[in-house]
Amino acid sequence: MTPLRLVLLAAVLAAAPARAQTVVVSVSPTLPIAGEDASAVITFVGLSPQSVSAFVRPVGTATYQELVAADAGNGEWRVQLPFPAPRQGIDAFARYVLDGQTVSAPVVDPEGSPFRLPSFLPVLAAEPPLPARQYRMIAVPALLGTDTGLPVALGSAAPLAVFGDDFGASGDPSQWRLLRWNEAAGRALDALADGAIQQVRPGEGYWLITSGGGTFDIEGGLSAGVRVSDGATVPDAITVPLGPGWTQIGNPFLFPISWADVDRPAAVEAPVAFDRQYVGGQTVLRPFEGYFVFNAGGPTALRFSATPRAVDARTADDRPLAVRLLDRAGPGARAARVTAVAAGRSDAVVVGVRGAGADRTDLRKPPAVDDGIRLAVREGGTDWLGHFRADADWALALTTGADAVVRVETLGDWPGGLAVDDLDRGVALAVVDGRVAVPAIPGVPTRSLRLRAVDAVAEPVLGRPSPNPSAGIVTAPFRLSAPGPVRADVVDVLGRVVRVLLADELDAGAHLLSWDGHDGAGRPVAAGAYLLRLDAGGTRSAVRVTRPR
């Protein structure tokens, strides 16, 4: 910002209407630049105090510092701030002695409702950097081009002005796109192509994707959370309207805030973050990060206040979602994290069985950001990111046009195991080392799976294959507790039967399964991983074998 513009800005602010208050706390310069020195100014009209102290703190922090002010004449008392002007602004109040009495300004609750003195942000760089060609949910924690009640000119809030200088001034969608979810339209609308975003506002969340990654900066912004009252700046909540369903929100401040401190109806559920996958149950909202929230009630609003409470390890719960949900699911609960991987991308959900006195553990899954892989627990017409039931039986919807692998990681006491059924093909899938191969089906973009608990695995169970890996014959022992039909197959990673090794009635006792590395036509199979799969007595077991090159 040029010195001339600063002079003009100070002159415009000085020309504001006279304040009606008897005592006003402000700063000098009138609009401090973040990172530069400033002074606290207490102005008295018609009063002559004997001593004055200013109490100051960066907005969002809990502790005030007391500073003894000096009489500068003409009703002004001044003191140098002990810190450079913070980018989030300053909270301040005064105490002074007048005719032997100690008085505060503001008079009522000065610590909880102080004067709020915004900071000017010439340039504010977003953090952290954006990955290339990946969606991120972002927020802009500053006022831009907005009627703040202060006679100050801010930078433009138009999306092209905010992001064009960083990613392409033409707004070419192959270079960058800014979108925001619209529940009524059932899709994310583009800021430029759809004209859906007229102004970038604090408290709102957006999808941003760029061709080259990097970061963006905000120019000519003002720290959020202030309004003008009787000529003085005081704290003001940032309000974000919510309709029924999903809305993207963002932290409007330049410091972390607790979700518990956001004023909202009970029908508004906990935020969901996005880091290549959705991460539900967020307890802390961080600067520049966007989030999805679901409103299960009627039209309402969120109110963000800069509550002075430290956000630390006691407030932010950064443990894996499955661990957090398991803690809330009551004594004896069990959980499993289910991850699907296809074409180099992944998505995950958490399922579980509720314990005694379970807290609310279900988390809805926000809408898909693109056409990539998506895994959801589907029940009652709703997609769930985390879903706990009284019984261990979940319907999974896997959307991908490619072959996928589903990995299951369990937490808690599972006396048996978990089985995966392919409902589209009507077959049970082999679970080996907690992994299941789910082949794509042409014309079926969303695969229907069933995850269920099974009793402790009974005989027969294939023993460890030996040798493994092997370019020759590999064998695996098994035992039958009763005579009956037995079938043994070699299966590839896509679940296709390569060769039937055994289909016969066998006596009870010990047996040995053997495979020489050939398919059903007698040809050597390609190098890679295969399953030896055994079905007998109503149970199935499998072991992995590797054919080296």
Side-chain angles (χ1 to χ4, degrees):
M1 188 176 207
T2 65
L4 176 60
R5 185 177 175 189
L6 279 175
V7 170
L8 292 175
L9 187 62
V12 171
L13 287 170
R19 297 183 176 94
Q21 293 175 313
T22 302
V23 184
V24 171
V25 180
S26 61
V27 290
S28 178
T30 310
L31 192 62
I33 298 176
E36 297 191 3
D37 292 338
S39 299
V41 180
I42 304 96
T43 303
F44 295 87
V45 178
L47 297 174
S48 299
Q50 286 77 57
S51 63
V52 179
S53 290
F55 294 79
V56 297
R57 68 183 180 192
V59 175
T61 59
T63 304
Y64 287 95
Q65 296 185 51
E66 181 179 2
L67 309 172
V68 178
D71 189 350
N74 298 318
E76 287 189 357
W77 293 67
R78 290 175 173 255
V79 63
Q80 183 75 22
L81 293 180
F83 44 73
R87 62 184 191 174
Q88 66 262 43
I90 304 163
D91 281 340
F93 69 93
R95 285 203 177 109
Y96 57 96
V97 176
L98 182 67
D99 298 329
Q101 301 292 320
T102 300
V103 187
S104 296
V107 176
V108 179
D109 189 20
E111 295 190 29
S113 299
F115 295 96
R116 177 155 296 164
L117 313 170
S119 292
F120 183 74
L121 308 165
V123 178
L124 178 65
E127 49 196 44
L130 302 166
R133 301 187 180 280
Q134 293 178 23
Y135 279 96
R136 283 295 302 269
M137 229 189 317
I138 64 148
V140 175
L143 289 168
L144 291 166
T146 305
D147 181 10
T148 62
L150 290 169
V152 55
L154 301 179
S156 173
L160 189 59
V162 176
F163 302 102
D165 61 329
D166 301 298
F167 304 122
S170 67
D172 183 350
S174 68
Q175 299 301 310
W176 65 276
R177 296 182 69 199
L178 185 76
L179 308 99
R180 192 158 192 257
W181 176 256
N182 184 293
E183 185 75 5
R187 66 184 182 95
L189 300 182
D190 191 292
L192 302 182
D194 298 318
I197 304 171
Q198 300 298 316
Q199 290 186 325
V200 176
R201 297 185 174 94
E204 294 185 351
Y206 308 95
W207 286 120
L208 177 63
I209 186 169
T210 69
S211 62
T215 190
F216 64 91
D217 55 35
I218 301 162
E219 298 175 348
L222 192 71
S223 55
V226 297
R227 64 180 172 87
V228 176
S229 176
D230 295 328
T233 53
V234 295
D236 190 31
I238 301 293
T239 301
V240 178
L242 299 181
W246 291 104
T247 301
Q248 287 177 286
I249 67 165
N251 179 356
F253 305 115
L254 283 160
F255 49 87
I257 60 173
S258 171
W259 174 244
D261 292 332
V262 178
D263 185 19
R264 65 196 188 277
V268 180
E269 300 174 3
V272 180
F274 183 81
D275 186 6
R276 303 189 72 175
Q277 296 178 11
Y278 283 119
V279 184
Q282 298 297 297
T283 57
V284 170
L285 305 183
R286 305 186 186 281
F288 293 102
E289 293 290 332
Y291 303 86
F292 259 119
V293 293
F294 187 84
N295 174 25
T300 184
L302 299 181
R303 287 175 57 83
F304 296 92
S305 300
T307 303
R309 185 169 84 175
V311 174
D312 55 21
R314 292 168 297 176
T315 307
D317 192 344
D318 294 325
R319 295 176 300 165
L321 179 61
V323 175
R324 288 186 278 135
L325 292 183
L326 183 62
D327 276 356
R328 293 164 46 188
R334 294 169 282 164
R337 175 180 168 86
V338 185
T339 304
V341 181
R345 300 181 63 181
S346 64
D347 199 16
V349 295
V350 175
V351 300
V353 178
R354 293 192 296 268
D359 192 3
R360 180 177 179 179
T361 51
D362 292 343
L363 299 174
R364 299 175 198 265
K365 187 147 194 170
V369 59
D370 57 18
D371 295 329
I373 187 171
R374 178 178 173 85
L375 179 66
V377 186
R378 186 161 290 175
E379 182 167 312
T382 299
D383 281 359
W384 301 94
L385 177 63
H387 194 60
F388 279 60
R389 297 169 49 95
D391 58 338
D393 195 328
W394 304 271
L396 302 178
L398 173 60
T399 303
T400 175
D403 297 329
V405 173
V406 173
R407 182 173 67 249
V408 182
E409 305 164 88
T410 57
L411 295 86
D413 182 19
W414 292 87
L418 287 168
V420 179
D421 300 325
D422 185 337
L423 301 184
D424 297 315
R425 298 191 301 160
V427 299
L429 301 177
V431 180
V432 180
D433 297 331
R435 288 173 170 79
V436 175
V438 182
I441 299 177
V444 184
T446 298
R447 302 282 273 104
S448 297
L449 307 175
R450 179 188 180 208
L451 180 68
R452 57 185 172 84
V454 294
D455 294 334
V457 179
E459 289 186 326
V461 177
L462 279 169
R464 184 187 301 274
S466 179
N468 190 28
S470 174
I473 296 175
V474 60
T475 59
F478 66 95
R479 175 179 291 276
L480 297 178
S481 57
V486 177
R487 178 184 171 104
D489 300 311
V490 178
V491 181
D492 67 13
V493 293
L494 298 181
R496 297 173 299 197
V497 175
V498 173
R499 181 176 173 182
V500 178
L501 296 177
L502 178 65
D504 203 354
E505 294 274 344
L506 295 182
D507 295 330
H511 299 272
L512 192 67
L513 198 61
S514 176
W515 180 44
D516 60 5
H518 291 74
D519 63 15
R523 298 168 299 203
V525 299
Y530 296 85
L531 300 179
L532 300 184
R533 188 174 68 187
L534 183 72
D535 290 278
T539 42
R540 168 177 287 180
S541 63
V543 292
R544 184 187 299 267
V545 297
T546 302
R547 303 296 294 183
R549 295 186 183 277

